[in-house]
Amino acid sequence: MKKLLTCLVIFFSSVVSYAQKDLEKETITILPESELIISGSTNVNKFDCKFNIDLITDPKEIKFTKSENFIHFSHLNLELLTQGFDCGNKRMNSDFQDLLLSEEFPKIVIELNKIEALAGEYVKAYVSVQLAGKSCSYTLPVLVESERYKGKLKLNIRDFGLVPPKKALGLIEVDEMIEVQFDLKVSHH
């Protein structure tokens, strides 16, 4: 029995050390010229809420493994403070914060789980979005141009338990579909 236990300990130790060797690390910084915008519309007009990129420009260590056509990430999260979005005026900002339930859930978390190499300059990103306490998974194409990553992700706010608000006694209705647009320029250290 002791021999079996010793063999299992040696086996699991070697598996863990082998897996740790495959884990690569790199430090990246999202540069200030990047953009992240949440766009939506009402039955009257459209709105764009631009995120203050300065809130996410600190260097971040990323951990990943490579396998065939995939790169798998270990806890690569982009945390966006809901207060970091500017929709153009105080009233729109307030309505946007109310919609996102920002007092109870002050962050939107986008986790990049893995990417898959595709033909040309595109990769397929597998992400999880946590908003208003709920999480949903998505895949989306991302254009990779040297150190720049561009893409769009359409979301239905009802998937996160959010209800599109109505304003002006119900005359103005917010569409349940929003679009997250990003153009992230990064530097590698």
Side-chain angles (χ1 to χ4, degrees):
M1 184 67 170
K2 280 186 176 182
K3 218 175 193 180
L4 176 62
L5 185 57
T6 303
C7 287
L8 286 174
V9 168
I10 291 170
F11 173 74
F12 284 118
S13 296
S14 64
V15 167
V16 168
S17 68
Y18 178 75
Q20 288 174 346
K21 286 179 189 173
D22 284 347
L23 192 66
E24 297 181 41
K25 295 179 185 178
E26 187 174 318
T27 301
I28 63 166
T29 301
I30 296 175
L31 300 176
E33 56 266 29
S34 299
E35 281 192 328
L36 193 146
I37 299 169
I38 294 181
S39 298
S41 62
T42 69
N43 57 334
V44 176
N45 64 10
K46 295 181 180 185
F47 61 89
D48 290 330
C49 299
K50 187 173 181 177
F51 187 73
N52 179 358
I53 293 295
D54 291 337
L55 297 173
I56 57 171
T57 57
D58 290 338
K60 181 171 185 65
E61 182 180 79
I62 61 172
K63 299 174 185 172
F64 57 94
T65 57
K66 296 177 183 176
S67 66
E68 295 184 28
N69 290 339
F70 290 93
I71 297 176
H72 300 266
F73 296 94
S74 177
H75 308 290
L76 179 51
N77 294 335
L78 185 60
E79 294 186 358
L80 308 172
L81 293 173
T82 55
Q83 295 292 331
F85 285 94
D86 182 2
C87 302
N89 65 57
K90 286 184 181 182
R91 183 68 188 154
M92 291 274 299
N93 289 345
S94 176
D95 289 348
F96 188 69
Q97 298 302 317
D98 290 346
L99 169 64
L100 298 179
L101 307 175
S102 66
E103 284 190 25
E104 189 176 350
F105 305 102
K107 292 180 185 176
I108 299 169
V109 179
I110 301 172
E111 181 175 9
L112 178 56
N113 300 306
K114 65 183 175 181
I115 57 174
E116 178 181 6
L118 299 177
E121 300 172 320
Y122 282 90
V123 297
K124 183 189 289 187
Y126 296 78
V127 299
S128 299
V129 177
Q130 185 179 349
L131 174 62
K134 296 200 175 16
S135 184
C136 295
S137 296
Y138 301 93
T139 60
L140 67 143
V142 176
L143 176 64
V144 180
E145 296 176 326
S146 66
E147 301 298 312
R148 183 168 244 140
Y149 304 86
K150 297 179 184 180
K152 295 178 182 180
L153 175 62
K154 291 188 186 251
L155 306 173
N156 186 326
I157 60 175
R158 290 186 186 276
D159 292 344
F160 298 93
L162 300 174
V163 178
K166 294 181 180 181
K167 299 292 177 184
L169 302 173
L171 295 175
I172 300 173
E173 296 180 33
V174 174
D175 190 359
E176 62 192 32
M177 297 303 294
I178 60 172
E179 183 175 75
V180 179
Q181 306 164 30
F182 59 91
D183 180 358
L184 302 178
K185 183 163 182 166
V186 301
S187 68
H188 298 263
H189 309 276

